[in-house]
Each structure stands twice: as structure tokens, then as C-alpha cells.
């Protein structure tokens, strides 16, 4: 597909957090921004005149929108920061400097110090973050200070220095904020135990601290110390929203390229993330049309070679979802757990979103091609001899066996054809017997279609497991249609599809479009059946509660029951009250009838 129009690109954006990039007609980057909801944020640029001339000029120049989907808003902030620093877009004024978001550092030294910093030094120290909010950093450091007395000085506390009595305790020791390791008053072992506990807090494991905070907040509130309780509450909120590690920036992963693939029958979508110095600095998704029966492995190998050349990637390691052959000089990593797996999942997520957008765009631009693709997919997935252009789905509705009814909904080309829907009153079955009801309804439906020379469906779906399917098959056999129409049953859990004569069900992928169409069919059958059932039940309830009064029709009685809400109230009403609703002559008939009978 050629470059889709801006309106089409915006229409198919996801409602997820992420980062968007605007490009001009030369393919030059104009602007990078972050969003909690990509679709809403990007749309807002195009549906109003902006206050600043600069923004209006920017909007006029936009030709292409690219985006990267991320798990959380925090990740979007961090990724935006990385991309602005790497790409230096013309219309971004902020974040183009070399400042980065703050980290919390556990210094590699005896009696480690813990502090916030914007600069990472590769000296073996541990860094947690980065944090998009300084308030979070201060809250966490305050929490650590309250729980653990640590040193704040920057002395070199080597064993020799301590033993030689080089240092003296300071004010922090005297006011109880430090245990005095500089004079050997605290052992290294005891201090390191505290550091281990703090490391857990920085990883986001502070359930215990949260419980203490909540207890403290409650007791302050009970003592009417509301301002102090509010401060504790704010700390709890920050800790509850704390995201310990970011997928976007990770100091443990240095220069690596990540590739993933998502494919269907006709195309493969390959996403690539470039990671430099622990930060994602580029994302790109490409589509490859399948010509033959190429495997995902072959397509991914091809795409990696092309993308590495196109973007001049020099990294020595690539992360991929399965083993590929790229020659002896490149290290292949197929992660199963941990940080690298998270980043691979992020790449797969972007490939999936890209595929969905392309399909949505195709659906808008070329609906027939979209329908043909779904029909071909359903034929394959359901192992059918022909494309299911005409599908009928049956559902029984009976509640405690009353008013048994059934519904038949019809889909043509994967879409509801409401004029062909049919309701059935079950005639030959007494009591709640779903199997017998299904047999009767299927027989009546197809007997009629045969008698009237109407076209038969390509696929019949029976809502129910093996029992319901067997009942429907009896009718299909009786009409001599076995082998002429495909028929399957869907069990209550929906992923299980039963075929005649096969005791092992077929399971469909939960995300497949075939399953989506079947779900839609079944939901329609339920809705259509239940509304008919309710109407019939309420009519029956009304008819059983009102006696037939000579000269008064059902319509009039319904109007009265709606007005007076019950038969009892109607009997107690005066002739004047009734005549206000339905007129004098009818009102007289009703009051006479009730007087005579009472």
C-alpha cells in the first residue's frame, strides 16, 4: 500500500501508551512526543487551530506518523527522552540537552552510600531507575532514611583507615541518623545486610514498609493529626505507582539489536529495536509479502540482513524469538526470562500493533480484499471445503423450561445479515429438553429452505457441545444434507470446536480472526434469542395475571397495567381514575366486571 493519508494513519492508531514521531515529505524527523493514549493525543494535533504559530506550522508539514507502543506511561516518558536526544528533532526544544532522568545509585565501596544522580559512572556501582519524577526519588530516599541509618559522609572507609582511627563520628551519629561505621562502631556485615534490604526496596519489593505506613497513617488520622496523615498518604500513593524497572532504559543491556516477527497467511511483519548504551534509540517495522510458503525463520533471517545493512547496525549481539543463522561473527540470544525477554516482548508487541493497523487500513481502503482475506483464513482454520460466505448459528433459550424458543442468526461475508435472522417457538418438545429442541429447530429451518428453493449455508454452527451437535446432525441426516453443509458445535468455553464423528475438539488461537467472527456469531445468537424469550415470557406473565374482560382487548389491558403497575391496583382504582387513562365507556365495563366478580 502506498503511503496512506494522514487521516487513515490517525484512524488506525492504537489506544495505548507510546511515543509518536512526525516526519515531513522528505522523511526528515520534525517532532517526537509521548502519549498515554496515542490515538487521542495525535488526533488532538489535527482537529483544532493551535495557540502558537510554531505548532500550526509543524502540523502543516506532517506527512508521516510513526509510533512505538510501550507498556506504561513512565516508559513513554523515558523513550521520548532517549529519542529526542538521539534524533534531535527540529520542533522539540526541551530534552535536547545532555541531561538525563535521575537514577538512584548504590555506590560500589565499603559501607556503600546511596544517593540520587543524573550521571552514570561505569565503576561497578548499581543504578536503579531512571525515574521520570523527582518526587518519587525523594520519597524512596526518605523511606530508606527512615528505615535504615546509613552514612552520608564520603570518607574512604577501608579497614585500614577505620583501624588507624583516622575518622571521628559527626553530628549525624549523635542525632541517631548513623551508627558510626567510621569509628568501627558498626560492622561491615551488619551494614551490608541493610544495603541488601534497600536493594529489595529499590526493586519494588516494599510490601512490609507499605503496611507500616498504612498503620501509621490510620493512627495519625485517629489522633486528628490530619496534615501528617496526608503526607504519609502521599508517600503511599507514590510507592503504589512505583515502577521499579524500565524496559526502555536498562544499564545491564548495552549495544544490542532486537528483532521479532508476526506473520499470517499473506504477510510477515518484522519489528526491530536498536539499543545503544542501555537505551532504545530506534524502532522500525517492515512488512514482507509472502510469495511462497516461506517459514518465519527464513523471513526473519532475510529481514535482519536487510535492516542491518539499511541502518548500518554494527552490534555484535542480536536478540530474536528463535534461533537464526547470521554467520559466526554475530552472537544470537533467544531469551526465556529476565530483562532481555521483556525487551523482546516489547518488540513483538510493536509488530502485532503494526499488523493490526495495516489490516484496519486495508479494511477502510479496500473492504472487499479484507473480507476475502478473512474468508480464506476461516476456510483454512476450520478445515472447510469452501469459504464460509454464508454462516448460520443456532441457540436455544429456555429458563426453567418455560417458553422454549430458539434463534437462528445469519452472517454473510463475515457480517450480520439481520433481515435473514429467524426466531422459532419450540412446538413439539415439552419441558426443558435442549437436545430435542435443537433437533426440531434445525429440521424446520432447512426443510423450509429446501421447500422454498432458498440457498443453503456453507457452514452451520451449533451453540453447545457434542450433545447439541448430535441432535442437529439427526435432522441434517433426515433431510439428506450430510456432506453438503459443514456443521460444527462450539462448547461453552468457546475455544473448543466439535466436528461430527470426532471426539477430540479443535482449539483455535484466542487472538485469531476466525475465533472473533465465531464469537460475534454466538453473541448475536444469544442476544437475539434472549430478547425474544424475554418478550414472550413477559407477555405470558401478563396474560396469566389479567382475566379476560368482555369488550376489552389485550392492548387496552397492557396500557392499564403499565399505568397502574399491577392488577391489584387496577381493581382498587375508581372509575374516574380508569376513564382518565382509557375513556369512559371502557372504564365502565372494567369497573362493572370487577364489582360483579367481587
Amino acid at each position: 500500500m502506498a503511503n496512506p493519508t494522514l487521516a487513515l494513519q490517525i484512524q488506525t492508531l492504537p489506544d495505548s501508551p507510546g511515543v509518536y514521531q512526525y516526519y515531513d515529505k522528505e522523511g526528515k524527523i520534525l517532532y517526537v512526543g509521548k502519549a498515554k493514549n496515542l490515538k487521542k493525543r495525535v488526533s488532538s494535533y489535527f482537529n483544532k487551530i493551535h495557540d502558537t504559530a510554531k505548532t500550526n506550522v509543524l502540523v502543516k508539514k506532517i506527512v508521516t506518523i510513526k509510533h512505538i507502543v510501550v507498556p506504561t506511561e513512565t516508559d513513554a516518558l523515558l523513550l521520548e527522552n532517549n529519542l529526542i536526544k538521539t534524533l534531535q528533532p527540529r520542533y522539540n526544544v526541551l530534552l535536547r540537552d545532555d541531561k538525563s532522568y535521575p537514577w538512584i545509585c548504590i555506590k560500589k565501596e565499603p559501607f556503600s552510600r546511596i544517593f540520587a544522580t543524573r550521571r552514570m559512572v561505569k565503576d561497578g556501582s548499581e543504578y536503579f531507575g531512571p525515574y521520570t519524577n523527582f518526587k518519587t526519588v525523594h520519597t524512596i530516599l526518605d523511606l530508606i532514611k527512615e528505615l535504615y541509618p546509613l552514612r552520608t559522609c564520603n570518607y574512604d572507609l577501608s579497614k585500614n583507615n577505620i583501624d588507624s582511627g583516622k575518622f571521628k563520628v559527626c553530628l549525624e551519629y549523635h542525632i541517631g541518623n548513623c551508627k558510626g561505621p567510621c569509628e568501627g562502631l558498626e560492622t561491615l556485615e551488619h551494614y551490608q545486610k541493610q544495603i541488601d534490604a534497600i536493594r529489595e526496596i529499590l526493586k519494588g519489593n516494599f510490601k512490609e514498609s507499605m503496611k507500616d505506613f498504612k498503620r501509621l497513617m490510620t493512627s495519625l488520622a485517629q489522633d486528628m493529626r490530619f496534615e501528617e496523615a496526608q503526607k504519609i498518604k502521599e508517600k503511599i500513593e507514590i510507592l503504589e505507582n512505583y515502577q521499579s524497572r524500565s524496559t526502555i532504559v536498562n544499564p545491564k543491556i548495552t549495544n544490542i539489536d532486537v528483532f521479532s516477527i508476526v506473520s499470517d497467511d499473506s504477510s510477515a511483519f518484522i519489528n526491530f529495536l536498536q539499543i545503544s548504551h542501555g537505551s532504545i534509540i530506534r524502532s522500525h517495522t517492515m512488512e514482507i509479502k509472502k510469495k511462497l510458503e516461506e517459514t518465519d525463520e527464513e523471513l526473519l533471517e532475510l529481514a535482519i540482513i536487510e535492516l542491518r545493512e539499511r541502518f548500518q547496525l554494527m552490534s555484535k549481539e542480536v536478540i530474536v524469538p528463535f534461533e537464526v543463522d547470521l554467520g559466526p561473527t554475530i552472537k544470537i540470544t533467544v531469551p526465556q526470562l529476565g530483562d532481555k525477554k521483556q525487551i523482546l516482548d516489547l518488540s513483538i508487541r510493536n509488530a502485532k500493533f503494526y499488523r493490526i493497523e495495516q489490516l484496519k487500513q486495508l479494511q477502510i481502503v479496500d473492504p472487499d480484499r479484507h473480507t476475502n482475506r478473512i474468508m480464506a483464513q476461516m476456510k483454512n482454520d476450520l478445515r472447510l471445503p469452501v469459504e464460509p460466505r454464508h454462516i448460520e448459528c443456532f441457540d436455544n433459550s429456555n429458563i426453567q423450561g418455560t417458553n422454549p424458543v430458539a434463534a437462528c442468526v445469519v452472517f454473510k461475508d463475515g457480517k450480520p445479515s439481520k433481515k435473514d435472522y429467524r426466531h422459532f417457538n419450540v412446538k413439539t418438545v415439552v419441558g426443558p429438553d435442549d437436545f430435542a429442541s435443537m433437533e426440531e429447530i434445525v429440521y424446520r429451518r432447512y426443510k423450509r429452505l429446501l421447500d422454498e428453493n432458498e440457498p443453503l449455508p456453507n457452514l452451520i454452527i451449533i451453540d453447545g457441545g457434542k450433545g447439541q451437535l448430535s441432535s442437529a446432525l439427526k435432522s441434517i441426516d433426515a433431510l439428506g444434507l450430510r456432506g453438503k453443509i459443514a456443521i460444527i458445535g462450539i462448547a461453552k468455553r468457546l475455544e473448543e470446536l466439535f466436528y461430527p464423528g470426532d471426539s477430540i475438539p479443535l482449539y483455535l488461537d484466542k487472538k485469531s480472526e476466525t475465533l472473533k467472527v465465531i464469537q460475534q456469531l454466538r453473541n448475536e445468537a444469544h442476544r437475539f434469542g434472549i430478547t425474544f424469550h424475554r418478550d414472550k415470557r413477559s407477555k405470558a406473565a401478563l396474560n396469566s395475571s389479567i382475566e379476560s374482560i368482555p369488550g376489552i382487548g389485550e392492548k387496552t389491558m397492557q396500557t392499564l397495567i403499565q399505568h397502574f403497575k399491577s392488577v391489584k391496583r387496577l381493581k382498587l382504582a375508581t372509575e374516574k381514575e380508569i376513564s382518565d387513562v382509557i375513556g369512559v365507556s371502557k372504564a365502565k365495563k372494567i369497573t362493572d366486571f370487577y364489582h360483579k366478580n367481587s
Side-chain angles (χ1 to χ4, degrees), residues 7 17 23 117 180 238 245 247 251 258-259 294 303 358 400 410 444 454 474 503 522 574:
Y23 291 85
T117 177
I238 284 174
R245 273 220 316 284
T247 319
V258 185
F259 296 93
E294 298 104 332
Q358 295 302 307
Q400 286 104 29
V410 180
R444 278 167 55 194
E454 289 291 322
K474 284 180 193 167
S503 60
R522 196 174 85 168
T574 63

Side-chain angles (χ1 to χ4, degrees), residues 430-468:
V430 181
D433 183 345
D434 275 357
F435 298 145
S437 303
M438 186 62 79
E439 192 179 336
E440 178 197 323
I441 298 310
V442 171
Y443 186 85
R444 278 167 55 194
R445 168 70 176 163
Y446 296 113
K447 175 88 174 75
R448 180 160 191 167
L449 288 187
L450 287 169
D451 289 349
E452 294 177 0
N453 256 337
E454 289 291 322
L456 294 168
N458 311 113
L459 173 66
I460 299 170
I461 295 179
I462 303 296
D463 184 10
K466 291 181 201 170
Q468 301 272 38

Side-chain angles (χ1 to χ4, degrees), residues 5 62 89 97 178 183 237 259 287 312 344 363 380 405 416 418 442 447 460 462 487 513 540 583 596:
T5 62
I62 299 167
D97 54 20
C178 172
E183 281 193 29
E237 279 171 3
F259 296 93
E287 180 179 358
Q312 282 150 13
L344 176 65
Q363 194 172 349
N380 268 359
V405 297
K418 294 197 175 180
V442 171
K447 175 88 174 75
I460 299 170
I462 303 296
I487 179 165
E513 284 173 292
K596 201 191 295 174

Side-chain angles (χ1 to χ4, degrees), residues 183-195:
E183 281 193 29
L185 301 172
E186 181 178 24
T187 65
L188 181 58
E189 189 187 1
H190 179 265
Y191 194 96
Q192 281 312 123
K193 271 192 181 152
Q194 296 190 112
I195 295 292

Side-chain angles (χ1 to χ4, degrees), residues 382-384 459-470 473 486-508 518:
L382 299 173
R383 309 187 301 224
L384 301 174
L459 173 66
I460 299 170
I461 295 179
I462 303 296
D463 184 10
K466 291 181 201 170
Q468 301 272 38
L469 181 61
S470 306
L473 274 168
I487 179 165
I488 56 175
I490 48 173
K492 286 286 173 245
R493 285 210 309 279
L494 230 174
E495 290 88 51
E496 290 186 343
L497 301 182
F498 287 96
Y499 285 75
D502 190 347
S503 60
I504 299 165
L506 170 76
Y507 290 91
L508 282 180
I518 292 177

Side-chain angles (χ1 to χ4, degrees), residues 216-217 220-221 225-234:
L216 179 57
M217 180 179 74
L220 285 170
R225 291 157 68 186
F226 296 119
E227 281 183 15
E228 292 166 69
Q230 176 61 25
K231 279 180 185 157
I232 301 285
K233 187 184 176 207
E234 282 168 13

